Amino acid sequence: PKDDTWPPLPGLKSDTKVVRVVCNPLTGGELLPLPEEDPNTGDTGGTWRFVKPGFLTQADRGDGPPDRYAVAEIRGEDSIMHRFLSETGRWDATPGFSSAIPAARPAITADHPVVSFGGRMWWIDLGWGAVSVDPCAAEPDFRFVELPSGSVLPAADAISVERRRLQEAPLSRYRRVGVSEGRLRYVEVSEASPFVLSCFTLDDEGGSGWTLEHRVALGRLWSEPLQETPRIGALDPLKASVVYLMIGEDGRHVVGVDLEKGVMIGSCLLEHPTGLTPCVLPPWLETSRIPSTGV
C-alpha cells in the first residue's frame, strides 16, 4: 500500500494504489518499484500485483553480493512463466513447465510459497511434487521431482481434492519444503496420533530423489496427550534436525523440536497468530546495493 508517509518512488504513477518493490530489508534506503506487466504482452499495465511471485538472486563471485535478480510467476492453464530480469529491466514471457510434468496428472497445484534453492526457483505441489527452473537462463530448463513416495497423494483421491479446494485443512499446515544447512528438505507430520514427524533431504540440487533422515512420534514428547495435529511452522535454516511447530487451535504456541535427539529444545508464545518465515542474513547485506535495472 502507498500512503502519505511513504517517500516518492521513481516511475510510480500518482494514482497507483499498490506497487511491488525490491528493497534491502536491513537498510530500507533502496526501494526499486517493479513495472506492472500485461500477462499477454509483457508490457506495463497488467495485474501481476495480485499473484505471489518467486524471487531469486545470482552472484558472479560465489556467495558475495548479487549481480542480478529475477522475479518470476507461473500462470494460466499452460503454466507460462512471466519473469522480470534486473539485467533487462523488463518483463517477458517464456514457455511454461507443462512439458516437464509427467503425464500422470494434467497439472500441478502450487499450494506452497516459491522456494529459491541451488540457483533455481521451486514451485511446489504439496500433494505431488515440485517443478524447478533457473529463471535467469536464456532457455529455461524445467525439471520435475516427486515428493517421497509415501507422501504422494493419488490424483483421483476425492478426499484430498475436496480438502484442498475448500482449504479447511490445507496441506501447508502439515507439510513444508525449506532450505536448511544448504540442502533442500521436506517435512511432514501425520494428522493422526501419535503425530509422526518425518524429515527428508533432496539427494542433489537437480532433484533425483529424497532420503529419509529423521522420523519422530511427537505425541511421545508431551506429558499430556496432544488434542490437535501440530502444524509445521518452519525449518531451522542453520540446523537441519530442528523443526518449529505451532501448537493449539490458534497456533500461537511455538515449540522447537530436535528430531535427531528426539527432544523439545524450547518454546514461546506468539502475541498474535502469524506465520513463521526463516531467513539467514549474510554479513554483506547491510552494505550492498540492489543490482541496477535496465541496460
Side-chain angles (χ1 to χ4, degrees):
K2 178 180 180 290
D3 56 40
D4 293 338
T5 64
W6 280 57
L9 297 176
L12 180 62
K13 298 178 181 179
S14 60
D15 60 348
T16 301
K17 300 301 182 182
V18 177
V19 65
R20 300 288 187 180
V21 299
V22 177
C23 71
N24 187 318
L26 292 184
T27 66
E30 288 183 281
L31 294 174
L32 301 182
L34 299 182
E36 293 185 347
E37 173 238 3
D38 184 278
N40 297 315
T41 66
D43 295 331
T44 60
T47 58
W48 79 274
R49 66 181 69 174
F50 300 111
V51 301
K52 296 180 180 179
F55 183 83
L56 178 77
T57 64
Q58 290 185 347
D60 295 331
R61 302 172 298 282
D63 296 328
D67 295 286
R68 67 192 65 85
Y69 66 85
V71 180
E73 170 67 17
I74 299 295
R75 302 190 203 145
E77 295 181 357
D78 296 328
S79 299
I80 300 300
M81 183 173 75
H82 295 253
R83 63 181 181 178
F84 175 87
L85 302 178
S86 63
E87 292 183 315
T88 66
R90 62 177 182 271
W91 289 87
D92 64 23
T94 73
F97 56 51
S98 299
S99 61
I101 300 176
R105 302 187 184 190
I108 72 169
T109 300
D111 50 358
H112 187 288
V114 179
V115 175
S116 296
F117 167 72
R120 305 174 71 83
M121 288 184 188
W122 298 70
W123 282 271
I124 300 157
D125 182 328
L126 287 172
W128 186 22
V131 173
S132 70
V133 67
D134 175 359
C136 297
E139 297 183 3
D141 173 26
F142 291 95
R143 306 173 190 172
F144 177 83
V145 59
E146 274 195 344
L147 294 178
S149 58
S151 303
V152 176
L153 301 181
D157 187 339
I159 295 178
S160 66
V161 171
E162 183 70 7
R163 178 173 55 190
R164 298 172 80 178
R165 185 181 71 82
L166 296 177
Q167 292 292 295
E168 292 179 347
L171 290 174
S172 57
R173 290 186 180 182
Y174 314 115
R175 299 182 171 202
R176 190 64 54 88
V177 176
V179 180
S180 180
E181 292 189 23
R183 302 285 296 276
L184 194 69
R185 304 179 195 274
Y186 166 73
V187 295
E188 67 175 22
V189 60
S190 61
E191 297 182 47
S193 182
F195 307 119
V196 176
L197 179 63
S198 304
C199 178
F200 299 83
T201 300
L202 193 67
D203 293 337
D204 56 56
E205 293 184 359
S208 61
W210 302 87
T211 297
L212 176 65
E213 287 200 328
H214 304 290
R215 179 161 284 165
V216 174
L218 297 174
R220 299 171 184 170
L221 303 183
W222 272 260
S223 58
E224 298 180 0
L226 289 169
Q227 300 301 316
E228 298 182 2
T229 308
R231 306 177 193 178
I232 297 174
L235 285 70
D236 191 306
L238 300 178
K239 191 169 184 179
S241 63
V242 173
V243 176
Y244 298 97
L245 306 173
M246 306 178 77
I247 310 297
E249 184 177 354
D250 58 6
R252 292 175 57 198
H253 189 192
V254 179
V255 176
V257 175
D258 189 320
L259 301 179
E260 186 174 16
K261 299 178 179 178
V263 297
M264 290 187 292
I265 59 173
S267 65
C268 69
L269 187 64
L270 299 177
E271 184 176 352
H272 302 287
T274 184
L276 303 179
T277 303
C279 62
V280 177
L281 303 180
W284 43 257
L285 182 58
E286 190 168 9
T287 58
S288 65
R289 297 187 59 83
I290 301 172
S292 59
T293 60
V295 294

